Amino acid sequence: MLLAVDIGNTHIVTGLLNPKGEVLLSFRVSSNEKLTEDEYFSYLKNICDFNGVEIKELNGIVISSVVPNLIGIFQFLGRKYFKIEPMIIDLNLKLPFSFAENLQINGFGADRIIDIAQAIIDYPKRNLVIFDLGTATTYEVLKDGVYIGGGILPGIEMSINALFGNTAKLPKVKFSTPESVLGRNTAEQIQAGIFYGYAGQLKNIIHEIKKIVPDPYIIATGGLGKILFAEIQEIDEYCPELSIRGLYTLYQMNK
């Protein structure tokens, strides 16, 4: 059994996969650099026990992280509790895709590597666009199996927090699908503006990409991707476990 850990700026998404790559269990906890390996292990054990998953069968750990300080904590967890040295995702690993020669890839995020790796395994003959809606929203574009570029924009929650934090009277609202583009009160108007404004951004990005890449297959992932998938007809598929399965794929290629 493999423990796959995707460490983001806001949440740590953890998955347990069987030898066939099937996700047995996945959960998320807050990214917190103050917690120790013992505290994170306690989360892991309690959730596994509750779901009837036996963590003593664990024989591999793979970690993707955009928070450098948290890598060490999970390395300690692997060594202390499982006597396993975790595999860390970076550009030194064997990857199922290549980069266009004109790109500067220093600092390319591990979170982006795992999304691309799994998408290209799932759809090897398609041009691809991958949106990952997390703390930041990223998009990746692949043509004929080659990564040709992408982009980064503020995430949905980041946009909401900026609006709340930089105004004196506007409330903080939860991101959700509004009843109408015309809100009836301040909270509804914020929800409508964020939802339709963000959907409009993604639709325009897709429109511009299609001028460069013919007939791409468009995937969304990330915690908030499901909400926008229902609104943006241009997105072909929502893949909630893309990153966890990408960790499994890269572990199998490099173990």
Side-chain angles (χ1 to χ4, degrees):
M1 188 166 62
L2 178 69
L3 175 65
V5 184
D6 181 18
I7 303 171
N9 289 294
T10 305
H11 292 110
I12 299 170
V13 180
T14 302
L16 287 146
L17 302 97
N18 67 18
K20 296 180 181 180
E22 298 167 337
V23 179
L24 304 175
L25 173 66
S26 65
F27 62 93
R28 62 178 61 215
V29 297
S30 296
S31 300
N32 187 342
E33 297 179 45
K34 294 181 180 180
L35 295 183
T36 67
E37 68 273 17
D38 301 315
E39 290 170 303
Y40 278 116
F41 175 77
S42 179
Y43 281 126
L44 174 63
K45 187 177 186 307
N46 288 337
I47 292 172
C48 286
D49 288 348
F50 182 80
N51 287 276
V53 176
E54 182 53 73
I55 59 173
K56 289 182 180 179
E57 297 177 6
L58 199 69
N59 55 20
I61 300 173
V62 58
I63 299 169
S64 161
S65 180
V66 297
V67 185
N69 290 344
L70 282 173
I71 295 176
I73 292 172
F74 279 87
Q75 286 177 313
F76 291 145
L77 183 153
R79 295 164 187 162
K80 180 174 182 178
Y81 287 100
F82 302 104
K83 303 295 188 290
I84 293 172
E85 185 62 36
M87 179 186 294
I88 309 300
I89 300 298
D90 60 29
L91 291 173
N92 295 314
L93 297 178
K94 179 181 179 182
L95 304 175
F97 64 95
S98 59
F99 291 92
E101 293 182 358
N102 64 325
L103 298 183
Q104 297 179 3
I105 60 173
N106 291 338
F108 195 78
D111 55 333
R112 307 175 79 179
I113 294 172
I114 58 177
D115 284 347
I116 296 168
Q118 190 58 44
I120 204 163
I121 291 295
D122 289 344
Y123 303 99
K125 297 181 180 180
R126 299 296 301 267
N127 295 329
L128 294 168
V129 180
I130 308 153
F131 286 94
D132 192 335
L133 289 93
T135 305
T137 292
T138 59
Y139 59 90
E140 325 299 346
V141 182
L142 289 100
K143 183 178 181 182
D144 300 324
V146 178
Y147 178 81
I148 62 171
I152 305 172
L153 60 152
I156 295 168
E157 293 292 348
M158 189 182 296
S159 300
I160 292 172
N161 289 337
L163 193 62
F164 170 70
N166 290 284
T167 57
K169 296 181 68 176
L170 293 181
K172 184 175 181 179
V173 301
K174 182 179 180 181
F175 182 70
S176 61
T177 305
E179 294 182 7
S180 168
V181 71
L182 302 177
R184 296 165 297 183
N185 54 51
T186 300
E188 289 184 2
Q189 289 169 2
I190 294 172
Q191 288 176 328
I194 292 290
F195 180 86
Y196 288 106
Y198 213 85
Q201 287 185 76
L202 299 193
K203 288 180 181 182
N204 191 58
I205 289 169
I206 293 169
H207 175 75
E208 293 299 318
I209 290 171
K210 286 183 175 180
K211 294 179 182 178
I212 302 169
V213 178
D215 191 30
Y217 191 74
I218 300 170
I219 297 169
T221 189
L224 297 175
K226 186 176 182 179
I227 296 174
L228 284 169
F229 172 58
E231 171 64 24
I232 304 174
Q233 290 75 27
E234 291 87 346
I235 297 176
D236 295 297
E237 185 176 355
Y238 173 62
C239 303
E241 297 176 341
L242 188 71
S243 61
I244 293 298
R245 292 191 299 115
L247 283 163
Y248 171 86
T249 290
L250 289 174
Y251 179 82
Q252 293 298 324
M253 290 181 66
N254 290 275
K255 68 179 181 179

